[in-house]
Amino acid sequence: MNLVSIIPQYITWHYTKSMKDFLSLWSRLFWFVAFFFSFKDLFKTFFSPFARLNETYKKGFNLGDFMSTLVVNILMRIVGVLIRTCIILLGLISFILAAVLGAVLF
């Protein structure tokens, strides 16, 4: 094959099939980031305790036991919110990086 006959085929491939393939891969990258960081689940369980760590309230009423259980449960929810917030921010940064990198490469 001579070079003159390859050039039109390359240009046709480069501006049709390769562009479609690139956009398909780029959209799959967004899908991967969204499901890897599982934004839906993170927002659904945003105020849940961290790693489901919580204490159960004891039978009867003892103010000291009640307050210590309440404090531990509130702290575990705060830790859960902070960790989920960090993961969501990391996911958003990854999403933005994927968008910028894809736009630059396109």
Side-chain angles (χ1 to χ4, degrees):
M1 250 188 188
N2 77 29
L3 189 61
V4 176
S5 67
I6 292 176
I7 291 175
Q9 291 174 357
Y10 171 75
I11 291 173
T12 303
W13 169 82
H14 185 78
Y15 289 106
T16 56
K17 182 161 174 36
S18 68
M19 293 289 185
K20 289 177 190 175
D21 289 347
F22 179 79
L23 292 175
S24 173
L25 288 172
W26 196 17
S27 69
R28 284 188 226 161
L29 180 62
F30 286 127
W31 179 87
F32 170 76
V33 169
F35 280 91
F36 182 77
F37 288 98
S38 64
F39 293 121
K40 179 181 173 184
D41 292 335
L42 286 173
F43 283 117
K44 191 185 305 183
T45 62
F46 192 70
F47 292 107
S48 297
F50 173 67
R52 296 183 186 171
L53 293 175
N54 59 358
E55 290 190 14
T56 56
Y57 293 96
K58 297 180 173 114
K59 301 249 184 214
F61 184 74
N62 182 349
L63 186 60
D65 289 341
F66 176 79
M67 292 306 287
S68 67
T69 303
L70 181 68
V71 167
V72 167
N73 288 341
I74 289 173
L75 284 175
M76 287 300 110
R77 288 185 187 271
I78 291 171
V79 169
V81 166
L82 291 175
I83 290 175
R84 286 179 184 89
T85 301
C86 291
I87 293 172
I88 289 170
L89 289 175
L90 186 63
L92 289 176
I93 290 169
S94 300
F95 212 79
I96 291 169
L97 283 174
V100 169
L101 183 64
V104 167
L105 291 175
F106 187 70

